[in-house]
Amino acid sequence: KTNTPSRSSLVSGKSKSCGCLARERSAASQTKHGKSKDRIYKIYIGMKKRCNNKNSNNFKNYGAKGIKLCSRWEDSFDNFFEDMGAGYKDNLTIDRIDGKKGYSKDNCRWATMQVQNSNKGKTKANKSGVVGVHFCKVRKKWLAKITKNRKVSILGSFDDFNDAVKARREAEKD
């Protein structure tokens, strides 16, 4: 048996709907883009979480450092998808071209993990100021290295800092 209100309840105003209103409201509250289970939507939610949610494990590396989503994307997956959906592929991740700037159409691209790893900033331990280049006190030489496909490659040891930087920059092009 359904819980359809009587005609008199509807006419008197005691009931406002035959039940369709609740279904309509429920449908309206659902996402309209139909992508809530897709990977690209999960990437969007992940961006928002690490930028806005202080309880996120990654907030300290994003939101706490002032990294934000542009206003166009902040409350609209549809806008994000309109700007970034065309280049999306399941093997790519969202990458900020300039790691000091937030997420926006002008500063984001879809990239492989290899490209994204080469775009990372230097670690706190890096004293040279150049990613992948450090001074080895034991050898008394500058070492250059790069990580590609989760494999670290030593590019060489150099007497001159600039030679080490040059080797690293060349390896980034490959």
Side-chain angles (χ1 to χ4, degrees), residues 58-78:
N58 290 315
F59 181 79
K60 66 182 181 282
N61 298 318
Y62 294 86
K65 292 184 176 182
I67 304 299
K68 300 185 182 315
L69 271 72
C70 65
S71 59
R72 178 170 160 75
W73 293 358
E74 183 61 43
D75 294 314
S76 176
F77 170 76
D78 291 330

Side-chain angles (χ1 to χ4, degrees), residues 12-120:
S12 71
K14 184 176 179 183
S15 294
K16 299 195 185 301
S17 168
C18 65
C20 294
L21 184 60
R23 283 191 298 276
E24 288 172 12
R25 284 182 179 157
S26 176
S29 71
Q30 302 296 317
T31 55
K32 295 177 183 174
H33 48 72
K35 297 193 179 309
S36 62
K37 294 185 178 165
D38 292 357
R39 183 173 174 267
I40 191 169
Y41 184 73
K42 291 174 183 164
I43 289 169
Y44 170 75
I45 293 301
M47 283 189 311
K48 287 186 71 168
K49 185 177 178 183
R50 61 184 166 263
C51 291
N52 300 332
N53 184 344
K54 292 178 182 177
N55 295 322
S56 167
N57 291 337
N58 290 315
F59 181 79
K60 66 182 181 282
N61 298 318
Y62 294 86
K65 292 184 176 182
I67 304 299
K68 300 185 182 315
L69 271 72
C70 65
S71 59
R72 178 170 160 75
W73 293 358
E74 183 61 43
D75 294 314
S76 176
F77 170 76
D78 291 330
N79 288 346
F80 168 74
F81 189 77
E82 183 179 316
D83 291 348
M84 298 300 296
Y88 171 78
K89 293 180 184 165
D90 281 339
N91 66 325
L92 302 177
T93 61
I94 193 81
D95 181 45
R96 288 176 296 122
I97 298 162
D98 183 340
K100 294 176 185 161
K101 295 181 181 177
Y103 290 96
S104 67
K105 182 179 180 180
D106 294 337
N107 193 43
C108 287
R109 63 185 171 188
W110 294 109
T112 62
M113 283 306 296
Q114 178 179 339
V115 168
Q116 195 165 120
N117 285 336
S118 69
N119 191 35
K120 285 184 179 178

